[in-house]
Amino acid sequence: MFSSPTKTPQLTFPPFPTFLAPPQRLLSKGCRQWRHSMCVNAKPLLKDGTLSVDGKDALRGVPENVVVTPFTASSAFIGASCADASSRLVFKLGVIQDVRLLCLYRLKIWWMIPRVGNSGRDIPIETQMLLLEARGGMDSQSSKERNSYIIFLPVLDGDFRSSLQGNSLDELELCVESGDPAVVTSQSPNAVFINYGDHPFDLVKESIKFLSEHSGTFSQREIKQMPGMLDCFGWCTWDAFYHSVNPQGIRDGLKSLSEGSTPAKFLIIDDGWQDTVNEFQKDGEPFIEGSQFGGRLISIKENNKFRAVGNVTENGAPVSLRDFVSEIKSNFGLKYVYVWHALLGYWGGLDPNASGTKKYDPKLRYPVQSPGNLANTRDLSIDAMEKYGIGVIDPAKISEFYDDLHSYLVSQNIDGVKVDVQNILETISSDLGGRVFLTRHFQQELEKSISTNFQDNSIICCMGHNTDSIYHSKQSAITRASDDYYPQNPTTQSLHIAAVAFNSIFLGEIVVPDWDMFYSLHDAAEFHAAARAVGGCGVYVSDKPGQHDFNVLKKLVLPDGSVLRARYPGRPSRDCLFTDPVMDKKSLLKIWNLNKCGGVIGIFNCQGAGSWPGESKAEEDIIFELSGKVSPSDIEYFEEVSGGPWTQDCAVFRFNTGSLTRLSKEESFDVTLKVLQCEVFTVFPIKVYNQAIQFAPIGLTNMYNSGGAVEAVESSDSSESKIHIRGRGGGDFGAYSNLRPKSCCVNSEDLQFKFREEDKLFVVTIPPKTPSWDITIYY
């Protein structure tokens, strides 16, 4: 049975794990797994009101009620106490000034965005990650500035969730809250995790690793099972139809994508398929903005658009959802079909009076947002839910509801679900044990049902950017990383790309960030497509049937419906971390990633096309184009692909121009882009084979992520000089070769090739429908 935690005037520690573990055990366990670049003798030290790490001040003017508990050789927990117990407390932690900082904060209840600044007053309410740059002078060997980094991660402390915020005095403040007036405390000793290192991405990774291992409440991305749909091209029905989704429209969309040689192998049937009722929006009456969020679920089955009623079908509806899904899988070669549902069934929950939902004992509740959410940006959906209420499933029945829903979907040949509106639990947790307790319970039961009913960890999480949900992501491997893609709003296109890239710094260590759908036929289509090519994410569009730009899609999708997904979440390059690529009028955004054998960098001009919500833009400053520098060294962890006889030079292929350049790893070059323009650079280490051949594959030069097509490169040990390259997909395969080859064969068939002497570009054309290939180049 479901039971809420004991409600007392002091913080209680329930039997489930908290973030604090015995320091001795975790120190010996954690340090063995640190990457070499971490600073291992830099314990946070609180002395004379100053919190310092490795001699660098992190906080000054720290109050006496603040406590610091050492955790590892470079990390600690920070907390505080006061005299009076409450369900929501705000503590001052100390002053932050004159330092470059990056915040990831919740602008809306559902979503985070980034903000950069220089002092405590620049830290917004609801900050969930804070990264500081500690500058340390010049490195004599590399002639580069020696920078180190301090990260603050507000975490879950017992039944309380933490967040950070700044004030006008540049003080960093800590907010801890339970979401239930009956769950109170006067202290939160382990509310913020602080860590220090000289590599920003290692620092985030190791911090998340420590917290994951010793909380036991969530897992790192790299140990989770990845759903197969990530490597398939997909189509989502939302922006194609919105709530008017219907079987014939789905057939039409799948058909037009297939006929263009970019077949969808993955489908999301979004909102509009479920059996719902909406007492606030009657047929024939004028539409009331927001009323769509008052709809409630009346059964777990599909609505009449997707099944016959008795023996009668309306408007060409199939006999059942199962018949329809089986039909489109057979006709269009779909591998995965997901459907959408909200965490509580639907936006307005379950109808308390419907015969199909009474067994789950739903009760009408009215959401109450925290002061932190109310201080930022209001959102129409939550405003409507506050007005209309939500039919909240009895927490004791949530396991039964999820199992009934998901087992029914499996019986209808559905492969997985997109689960939306996840942060709603924080607003309805009063008298239910509080937001952390309630989220833990619902997430555990949701993931249990996914594991029991589906075969492929088949869930996409959405609208779940509070840390209550993030730090309970034990199995779920994909989470939407930003607010929606809004095709009709030209001012949000660049914001979308920047927000996902920056949010991925944090989210990407726990999940694969989902970049959402986009239109391929759109003014910003190339911008979105290139971003997803370097994002390491699933790729899916929401085109209306017949409205596609196949010139864009064929740069993302192979004829077999697969995509060339990069290995990691795409994140901003190190020199972009503390810049504002949307509003500072000078910075381009660079997003780096790795493939199996090389790297990739996407560069985007996000300036001048919009502004972050709540921040004004000077209209007179019109930005037409900007320039920036790009270097192979922008790609982190390049050593993973550059092992062996590397010349220390790289082959850099520029997608839009088709040009090839040889550069040392530390060299840079200038790139100039207009507003909403982008460029993709494929970067491979040039290696030496058979002593004389200097070679680097580029991959399929007709694809944005060219190098994603290359699976392996090998050379012959015999006296005969030849190089083997294995990969997949049809198109123009390119490579750098210092010598002109004698001949080339693809899958044992001799083919003609081209060789461009001026830049040493080798090109051979692989037949379009070749699923995989083994190229042998002879010298």
Side-chain angles (χ1 to χ4, degrees), residues 485 490-499 515 518-520 522-535 552 555-556 581-582 587-591 602-610 656 673-680 704:
Y485 165 74
T491 67
T492 62
Q493 307 306 311
S494 59
L495 275 63
H496 187 97
I497 303 304
W515 285 64
F518 70 101
Y519 278 165
S520 71
H522 190 273
D523 290 343
E526 197 103 22
F527 206 69
H528 284 280
R532 285 152 181 79
V534 300
V552 171
K555 300 171 187 175
L556 279 172
V582 172
S587 301
L588 297 174
L589 173 63
K590 292 182 287 185
I591 301 174
I603 182 164
F604 303 84
N605 185 351
C606 300
Q607 304 280 352
N656 284 333
L673 297 172
K674 294 179 180 179
V675 174
L676 287 179
Q677 278 192 341
C678 60
E679 181 60 277
V680 179
Y704 290 119

Side-chain angles (χ1 to χ4, degrees), residues 466-748:
N466 65 12
T467 45
D468 316 52
S469 296
I470 294 167
Y471 288 138
H472 284 110
S473 177
K474 189 74 173 175
Q475 295 172 199
S476 303
I478 307 172
T479 293
R480 171 84 76 72
S482 77
D483 199 347
D484 289 10
Y485 165 74
Y486 296 108
Q488 310 306 327
N489 189 344
T491 67
T492 62
Q493 307 306 311
S494 59
L495 275 63
H496 187 97
I497 303 304
V500 177
F502 277 88
N503 287 343
S504 295
I505 298 169
F506 173 41
L507 294 176
E509 296 301 337
I510 301 171
V511 293
V512 174
D514 177 81
W515 285 64
D516 201 12
M517 64 202 86
F518 70 101
Y519 278 165
S520 71
L521 189 61
H522 190 273
D523 290 343
E526 197 103 22
F527 206 69
H528 284 280
R532 285 152 181 79
V534 300
C537 56
V539 177
Y540 55 104
V541 295
S542 194
D543 295 349
K544 296 179 186 297
Q547 298 184 26
H548 317 288
D549 186 339
F550 289 110
N551 183 50
V552 171
L553 290 178
K554 288 179 179 179
K555 300 171 187 175
L556 279 172
V557 187
L558 296 175
D560 64 359
S562 66
V563 295
L564 303 178
R565 186 167 66 93
R567 287 169 56 189
Y568 298 128
R571 286 159 285 180
S573 61
R574 197 179 302 206
D575 58 348
C576 291
L577 288 177
F578 303 100
T579 66
D580 182 351
V582 172
M583 292 185 64
D584 72 7
K585 307 167 192 168
K586 60 184 180 182
S587 301
L588 297 174
L589 173 63
K590 292 182 287 185
I591 301 174
W592 63 271
N593 215 319
L594 284 176
N595 293 302
K596 288 185 178 179
C597 300
V600 61
I601 308 168
I603 182 164
F604 303 84
N605 185 351
C606 300
Q607 304 280 352
S611 57
W612 295 116
E615 298 188 38
S616 57
K617 180 180 67 171
E619 295 297 333
E620 66 273 10
D621 294 330
I622 300 175
I623 300 169
F624 293 102
E625 63 180 28
L626 289 173
S627 297
K629 292 193 176 296
V630 179
S631 170
S633 63
D634 290 328
I635 302 172
E636 303 288 340
Y637 310 121
F638 198 70
E639 65 275 9
E640 294 182 12
V641 297
S642 62
W646 183 27
T647 63
Q648 302 299 310
D649 284 351
C650 298
V652 180
F653 178 79
R654 181 168 183 161
F655 179 79
N656 284 333
T657 64
S659 60
L660 180 63
T661 307
R662 178 170 180 157
L663 294 173
S664 72
K665 184 175 184 295
E666 301 300 326
E667 278 188 88
S668 63
F669 52 94
D670 292 321
V671 175
T672 300
L673 297 172
K674 294 179 180 179
V675 174
L676 287 179
Q677 278 192 341
C678 60
E679 181 60 277
V680 179
F681 296 92
T682 295
V683 182
F684 272 82
I686 298 174
K687 298 184 180 182
V688 179
Y689 300 93
N690 297 90
Q691 298 183 334
I693 305 167
Q694 297 183 13
F695 182 87
I698 299 300
L700 295 179
T701 60
N702 51 295
M703 306 294 285
Y704 290 119
N705 183 23
S706 307
V710 179
E711 304 280 349
V713 184
E714 301 164 351
S715 63
S716 172
D717 292 330
S718 67
S719 58
E720 187 179 17
S721 295
K722 56 185 178 181
I723 295 175
H724 300 279
I725 310 99
R726 288 187 288 106
R728 61 192 181 95
D732 290 336
F733 170 84
Y736 170 89
S737 175
N738 69 320
L739 302 177
R740 181 184 181 91
K742 291 181 179 178
S743 61
C744 166
C745 66
V746 176
N747 293 340
S748 302

Side-chain angles (χ1 to χ4, degrees), residues 79 194 209 218 249 252 262 272 321 367 375 534 620 631 677 715 755:
I194 180 175
K209 181 180 176 66
F218 72 102
D252 292 343
T262 57
L321 180 61
V534 300
E620 66 273 10
S631 170
Q677 278 192 341
S715 63
F755 187 74

